[in-house]
Amino acid sequence: MFDASGNIYGTTYLGGESGLGTVFELVAPVGTGKYEERVFWNFNGTDGSEPFASLLLDGVGKLYGTTLVGGSTDEGGASGTVSSSK
C-alpha cells in the first residue's frame, strides 16, 4: 500500500523480533536515493501474530490490518485487528 508521500507499507507473515510477523515501511527516496526499510511493528503474540491480507490507511494516518491469530485474549484462533498511528 502507498501513502500520499510515496511510502510503501506491507506485512510479513513471519519474521521480526519474535518470529510472529511485522508491519514494515519503505520510506520513499529523496532525489535519486533508494527506498529505506523501517520495521514499523513487531508482533509478539499478545498483540496478535501472523498478519495477513491488505493494510488500510485512513485519512488521519492510522494503519489498520488483521492477524491470523488474535492477541492474548484469543481463544480458538479468532482473527485479531491491529490499528496504530504511523
Side-chain angles (χ1 to χ4, degrees):
M1 178 198 62
F2 288 89
D3 69 10
S5 300
N7 300 317
I8 302 170
Y9 297 90
T11 62
T12 62
Y13 183 73
L14 299 174
E17 293 174 0
S18 298
L20 300 174
T22 67
V23 177
F24 65 87
E25 175 184 21
L26 298 176
V27 180
V30 177
T32 59
K34 297 179 180 181
Y35 276 91
E36 184 178 318
E37 180 182 0
R38 178 174 84 102
V39 175
F40 186 72
W41 191 262
N42 284 286
F43 289 95
N44 62 27
T46 61
D47 57 0
S49 65
E50 302 167 10
F52 73 104
S54 298
L55 292 171
L56 297 173
L57 179 64
D58 70 10
V60 294
K62 287 189 177 183
L63 286 170
Y64 294 87
T66 59
T67 60
L68 182 62
V69 179
S72 61
T73 60
D74 178 29
E75 296 185 21
S79 293
T81 302
V82 174
S83 67
S84 181
S85 295
K86 65 178 192 96

